[in-house]
Amino acid sequence: MPDDLYLLAGRYRLIERLGQGGAGTVWRAIDEILDRQVAVKQVRVPDALSPHQRAEFVDRAIHEARSAGRLRDQAIVLVHDVVLEGHQPWIIMDLVTGRSLDKVIKEGGPLPPGYVAGIGLRVLSALEVAHAHGMLHQDVKPANILLDADGSAMLTDFGIAVPMNAHGHSYGGAGSPGYMAPERLNEEPSGPSSDLWSLGASLYTAVEGRGPFERALPAAVAAAVLLHEPPYPARAGRVFGALLMAMLAKDPAARPTAAQVRQSLINLTGPETDPGRRHRLPGKRRGWLLPAALAAVVALGAGGWYAIGALAGQGPPMGRFAQAPDPCKLLSDTQAAEFMDGPIERTRTRTDECQLVVKLDAGAGAVRRLVVRAWAERPNGDFGGVEVAKRRFASEKTSRAAAQGTNMREAHGSVSDVAQVGESAIVQSSFKLAMTSSKSGTSTSTLLFRTSNLLGEVVWQRTDMPATAKADKETAIAAARLVSGALSK
């Protein structure tokens, strides 16, 4: 490899510039420590900022990228690292297979309603994870929805998400007018329903082949979002059409909740198109994946570069797990009762996640929460599932270690190795002050482990804790040993 290629942070060798847009420049790079390709997004800092404003913008970009890096879902393109060099933030992201929904629609026209509903379930899963972490995506649109080789959908551009209830940024905001909720165009506070509005607009476009507020000029699009109702989606059918119209309501309070949207989409797709399953694009639409000329796709609006993986042949071995086990079956209520004092409420929050919650009598809204996650890595190129999982684990360890320290209202401790949990494991604790307090907040201990090609995560969280409280890594470790033991049976 030529030595004159730019080396970012002493680690990421920039190979080629894949394109640039208003949000920044996207590069293909090699992570020289882990010897793998990554996507690097050079965030554009707006011009004409004062030194103080520039510092604020950079600090916010780094903080929000780090927050996005802690989001984990099969439908989220992972953020591995964020560095500051040359007075600019650089975001390092995963490489995945696929092509944007936007391009698929432009080249092939409208998609079948059932298939679009399946896409919606996957994207909704990603949004629910972000919302559970207090983050909004703010730029859900077809260009940021990636369809994998077998039709699975992923949501990209989590590089700079924003906290909930944030007002419009002083230095410009993300988003495209036709996919920005009315409250965002009015620079009012945003919430989860704003992202759901954008999801509804994206699914409308996929099933109809045109945007719900399509106009010739951006200003006319924005005016239509604020003042007009979209045409009823004729191709969607009565039930799906009614759901899309409800999601596009002007008033956030009138829109369905995420749980209501999920149930409606499940009813439209059936269990065979659950987001945890994987499907190919219908009919002739698979053809775009075959030519060698389509080995790489740049999605500047999505903030990433995506390489097409090997699509033929049996390839390298999978590993022990063809698919991840049900996380809700890895820890019984009896076992959980050893760590949680009180009646346990068990909820399957996502396909790969199960939450066990105890609500305490003392304290306003105080809870103890144990989260169990599990996902299986698949072969990628020349690497088998086990090697992919090892590299993912190593990358996670590096990324989490880099987050150590205090940033605004959140502090992260060091990353420690843990014995007797899977084949390798790490644990890290954090504390986040409550929005209305400087003395109490949420204490979290997160343990990540690997067994063969499977990665598991156990999160032990205690809300309404004093800032002086000691981190409780021991509970996360003990629960993880039980979960790891269940995998070996």
Side-chain angles (χ1 to χ4, degrees), residues 54 89 166 437 443 457 463:
R54 185 184 185 93
S437 173
S443 176
E457 195 170 50
T463 68

Side-chain angles (χ1 to χ4, degrees), residues 365-388:
V367 301
R368 300 292 181 263
R369 179 180 292 107
L370 192 63
V371 182
V372 179
R373 303 183 182 116
W375 64 97
E377 296 290 352
R378 299 171 177 270
N380 186 353
D382 296 331
F383 299 114
V386 175
E387 182 62 26
V388 172

Side-chain angles (χ1 to χ4, degrees), residues 125-165:
S125 175
L127 291 176
E128 287 178 312
V129 171
H131 297 163
H133 285 76
M135 302 296 294
L136 299 177
H137 186 280
Q138 291 237 102
D139 199 15
V140 180
K141 59 186 178 183
N144 283 346
I145 297 173
L146 190 72
L147 300 186
D148 204 347
D150 54 10
S152 297
M154 298 185 75
L155 182 60
T156 68
D157 204 14
F158 272 98
I160 304 183
V162 301
M164 286 187 186
N165 299 315

Side-chain angles (χ1 to χ4, degrees), residues 449-472:
F449 70 91
R450 181 191 65 81
T451 297
S452 185
N453 65 311
L454 183 133
L455 292 176
E457 195 170 50
V458 174
V459 182
W460 171 238
Q461 193 171 75
R462 300 173 296 162
T463 68
D464 200 29
M465 295 292 294
T468 55
K470 181 183 176 182
D472 184 13

Side-chain angles (χ1 to χ4, degrees), residues 87-418:
H87 305 292
Q88 284 186 313
W90 302 69
I91 301 172
I92 290 78
M93 294 172 289
D94 207 0
L95 288 175
V96 296
T97 60
R99 200 176 192 198
S100 72
L101 176 61
D102 180 55
K103 289 185 177 294
V104 172
I105 297 168
K106 286 179 179 177
E107 296 184 3
L111 294 168
Y115 181 74
V116 173
I119 292 173
L121 278 172
R122 293 276 296 191
V123 177
L124 179 62
S125 175
L127 291 176
E128 287 178 312
V129 171
H131 297 163
H133 285 76
M135 302 296 294
L136 299 177
H137 186 280
Q138 291 237 102
D139 199 15
V140 180
K141 59 186 178 183
N144 283 346
I145 297 173
L146 190 72
L147 300 186
D148 204 347
D150 54 10
S152 297
M154 298 185 75
L155 182 60
T156 68
D157 204 14
F158 272 98
I160 304 183
V162 301
M164 286 187 186
N165 299 315
H167 288 263
H169 292 321
S170 302
Y171 317 127
S176 300
Y179 299 97
M180 292 174 66
E183 60 270 21
R184 287 203 58 222
L185 289 174
N186 280 328
E187 297 187 352
E188 297 171 351
S190 301
S193 62
S194 304
D195 277 346
L196 295 182
W197 189 98
S198 300
L199 174 60
S202 299
L203 299 182
Y204 183 111
T205 301
V207 77
E208 292 297 295
R210 63 186 299 274
F213 302 98
E214 192 172 282
R215 302 289 192 277
L217 299 174
V221 173
V225 170
L226 293 171
L227 302 174
H228 303 294
E229 295 299 324
Y232 193 91
R235 297 176 181 270
R238 180 178 59 83
V239 177
F240 197 10
L243 173 64
L244 294 175
M245 294 297 287
M247 293 175 72
L248 293 173
K250 308 294 186 191
D251 181 2
R255 298 168 199 157
T257 64
Q260 292 169 330
V261 172
R262 172 175 291 280
Q263 188 57 58
S264 296
L265 292 175
I266 290 174
N267 292 339
L268 287 163
T269 59
E272 70 277 4
T273 46
D274 182 273
R277 297 175 177 262
R278 305 171 72 85
H279 298 270
R280 295 186 180 275
L281 284 168
K284 63 182 180 180
R285 303 182 189 276
R286 296 199 301 265
W288 53 261
L289 288 166
L290 301 180
L294 296 177
V297 177
V298 180
L300 281 175
W305 175 89
Y306 311 98
I308 301 298
L311 301 178
Q314 296 189 3
M318 171 72 73
R320 278 183 52 200
F321 299 91
Q323 61 183 17
D326 185 345
C328 279
K329 295 182 179 179
L330 297 177
L331 194 68
S332 68
D333 285 351
T334 301
Q335 291 172 322
E338 298 179 19
F339 321 113
M340 309 176 75
D341 185 16
I344 296 173
E345 297 180 7
R346 182 184 294 263
T347 306
R348 186 189 305 281
T349 44
R350 305 195 318 266
T351 305
D352 64 345
E353 179 181 284
C354 188
Q355 287 194 19
L356 293 85
V357 175
V358 169
K359 297 180 180 179
L360 305 182
D361 294 333
V367 301
R368 300 292 181 263
R369 179 180 292 107
L370 192 63
V371 182
V372 179
R373 303 183 182 116
W375 64 97
E377 296 290 352
R378 299 171 177 270
N380 186 353
D382 296 331
F383 299 114
V386 175
E387 182 62 26
V388 172
K390 286 181 177 179
R391 289 170 177 252
R392 177 78 71 191
F393 182 88
S395 177
E396 287 290 325
K397 184 175 181 179
T398 300
S399 177
R400 296 183 188 202
Q404 180 179 347
T406 301
N407 192 309
M408 299 180 70
R409 302 180 67 82
E410 190 167 5
H412 285 80
S414 61
V415 171
S416 305
D417 292 315
V418 179

